[in-house]
Amino acid sequence: MTIPHPSSHTLDPYDAFREELRQFAESECPPALKEVVRTNQKVTRNEYRIWQEKLFARGWGAPNWPVEYGGTGWDLQQRYLFEEVTAQADCPPQYHHGLGHIGPVIMHFGTPEQKARFLPRILDGSEWWCQGYSEPGAGSDLASLKTAAVRDGDHYVINGQKIWTSHAQEADMMYTLVRTSNEGRKQAGISLLLVPMDTPGIEVRPIPTIDHWHHVNEVFLNDVRVPCANLLGVEGEGWKCAKFLLDRERLSPATVPRLARLAEQVGELLRARGAGGSAPSASQHVLLERLYLAQAGVAGAREMLLSAIQEEMQGTLAASKSSALKLYCSDLSQQLIGIALDIAGPEYAARLVDTVAATGQEVASDADDSLRQLIHTYLFYRSRTIAGGTSEVQKNVIARDLFGA
């Protein structure tokens, strides 16, 4: 069974489902939210929350969760259609750390009490999570983490530092890897703790980035006491939880539909600038060729994702395929936004740099200047080949699968 392309008129069991999604996205997503997404402004907790509440009220709060935990029970093909239709309609994406990352880990490794405590609040959007994985000096070698947790009665006492922690400034909870033992290989002795962000001893400091959007932080943990009941899985076996999460993080049905929408926007920008005569005709041909190649890349990524979805449904998906998809889509997103920057021209690039340098603060949202926001995204997308596992990490996974290295 295949998923029909939006342009296809072939009758398919999923056609009615696609139409139901389209009508919902059209009628229920507030125009102000769509404007934020359409103009490439930064989506914050407020926008995520509004959209999550709409989806939760419809019973679609967790497209990737089974029914027993309040999810839709959709198969992966339905999940892909949901992402495709909502991306086309400029609806916000769903916040990934709760629904896509720690939620499934809690379902798999959590106790009944942990499932009852944490899952409903992820589902209705009332509790936000961040990920405490990366540490200073560890680079991409996650297993070399140093943050330690020592058992003290019915609590763990945590000391250490996390870095590049996305959305920590907005989060209520952090799932974090800590070292509870130094015995054995470095992947052993790691545990996964669920830490309330209002616990005394936690300090969050913003990390300035070139895009001047506040999205990553340093998180310092000084004698942070966390109940042992917040240990997820078995003490010392947190690496299993981490791997479980990462393998699913790299197969995101949302990635390709958002890329396809970006490719459309870049095409619209090229046509608009060309029609206005604001770009040299010679360079128009070069830009058009680059855009066609990128659009072909998006089509290829879509086929790769659909193939991966089929294999995931059959339980045969190899880690290398998820990594190859992540690697390819990260590079493709940078190609597309690079074309947008070149279409806009040097005067817009200079304007962006001036704006950032002059204020030293986040660039204010400006729905009327969608071009500036699109180009501003160029700087944000530099992180695409780092976040969620660097391109080098993905290549290592692929090499291990192919060559047994």
Side-chain angles (χ1 to χ4, degrees), residues 15-166:
D15 281 351
F17 179 65
R18 180 193 293 278
E19 179 59 20
E20 184 181 7
L21 291 171
R22 190 196 65 76
Q23 291 183 12
F24 179 82
E26 180 68 26
S27 62
E28 296 301 319
C29 187
L33 280 190
K34 292 185 178 181
E35 184 66 9
V36 169
V37 176
R38 187 188 67 78
T39 55
N40 292 284
Q41 298 176 58
K42 187 175 187 297
V43 178
T44 67
R45 178 169 179 168
N46 183 54
E47 289 82 22
Y48 283 121
R49 177 188 57 76
I50 294 171
W51 183 228
Q52 183 63 26
E53 289 175 353
K54 295 281 186 183
L55 292 169
F56 177 69
R58 179 62 177 80
W60 293 349
N64 59 321
W65 287 15
V67 173
E68 65 179 298
Y69 296 117
T72 60
W74 291 341
D75 61 35
L76 285 172
Q77 292 184 348
Q78 288 175 300
R79 285 176 51 198
Y80 179 82
L81 285 177
F82 170 80
E83 300 295 348
E84 189 171 72
V85 171
T86 53
Q88 281 291 318
D90 290 328
C91 303
Q94 289 182 281
Y95 184 66
H96 56 287
H97 275 303
L99 291 168
H101 293 181
I102 194 62
V105 181
I106 292 173
M107 291 177 210
H108 192 81
F109 295 97
T111 64
E113 292 76 17
Q114 289 172 334
K115 294 174 184 176
R117 158 67 180 84
F118 296 115
L119 295 180
R121 299 182 196 188
I122 295 173
L123 189 62
D124 67 14
S126 61
E127 202 161 69
W128 261 45
W129 291 73
C130 62
Q131 181 187 73
Y133 273 20
S134 299
E135 293 192 5
S140 296
D141 185 8
L142 180 60
S144 66
L145 62 90
K146 303 294 185 187
T147 295
V150 177
R151 187 80 177 259
D152 181 20
D154 57 358
H155 283 73
Y156 286 100
V157 181
I158 308 173
N159 282 283
Q161 180 188 351
K162 299 294 177 178
I163 198 168
W164 308 120
T165 310
S166 302

Side-chain angles (χ1 to χ4, degrees), residues 3-9 18 84 302:
I3 296 176
H5 188 271
S7 63
S8 171
H9 297 290
R18 180 193 293 278
E84 189 171 72
R302 182 178 185 274

Side-chain angles (χ1 to χ4, degrees), residues 235-298:
E235 181 179 300
E237 296 185 7
W239 190 249
K240 292 180 181 177
C241 301
K243 287 281 293 176
F244 182 90
L245 188 154
L246 290 172
D247 286 345
R248 280 148 187 80
E249 180 182 4
R250 290 162 189 159
L251 181 63
S252 170
T255 304
V256 176
R258 298 285 164 181
L259 272 180
R261 182 70 183 107
L262 177 62
E264 286 183 359
Q265 289 184 303
V266 176
E268 292 165 3
L269 176 63
L270 181 57
R271 285 191 291 274
R273 299 282 285 178
S278 53
S281 58
S283 65
Q284 285 273 331
H285 296 297
V286 175
L287 292 168
L288 194 59
E289 180 182 7
R290 289 170 59 194
L291 178 60
Y292 284 159
L293 289 172
Q295 289 173 333
V298 173

Side-chain angles (χ1 to χ4, degrees), residues 179-190:
R179 185 161 294 286
T180 48
S181 171
N182 290 305
E183 301 296 324
R185 57 199 292 263
K186 62 182 180 180
Q187 287 83 4
I190 292 175

Side-chain angles (χ1 to χ4, degrees), residues 222-241:
N222 297 305
D223 293 328
V224 175
R225 296 181 67 84
V226 177
C228 294
N230 284 21
L231 170 70
L232 190 55
V234 178
E235 181 179 300
E237 296 185 7
W239 190 249
K240 292 180 181 177
C241 301

